[in-house]
Amino acid sequence: MKGQFKGVVVLGGSSNGAVSLIATVSPELTKHIQAGKIIQTIAPIVGGKGGGKPDNARGGGKEVSKLDEALAQARKLIA
């Protein structure tokens, strides 16, 4: 997906009681929003942590029931 368009992508999923999060930001947008900061903000919502670079980051946690809340927070950060 990263190479298909310019913008911000935040994905989250759960499996076996664990949450995985990933964020990517087009290079021309990293002055305004950074993938690492998105993940650092939303990962604690699911009881975890994460980080990365301005254009690509990942994280996770164990609170599967809060995945929707974390993704909603990501939408607010991007808006």
Side-chain angles (χ1 to χ4, degrees):
M1 290 178 67
K2 185 175 180 179
Q4 294 180 4
F5 68 95
K6 296 177 183 176
V8 179
V9 177
V10 179
L11 300 173
S14 63
S15 179
N16 298 322
V19 176
S20 295
L21 301 165
I22 188 167
T24 185
V25 177
S26 298
E28 60 274 358
L29 299 177
T30 58
K31 290 182 181 178
H32 304 289
I33 188 162
Q34 297 183 351
K37 291 187 180 187
I38 294 170
I39 294 297
Q40 287 174 347
T41 301
I42 68 172
I45 295 171
V46 295
K49 59 183 178 176
K53 298 179 181 180
D55 65 332
N56 195 21
R58 64 183 184 169
K62 297 286 184 187
E63 296 183 40
V64 175
S65 65
K66 294 191 175 186
L67 177 57
D68 289 339
E69 181 183 339
L71 293 175
Q73 180 63 33
R75 281 190 286 279
K76 289 179 186 177
L77 292 170
I78 295 165

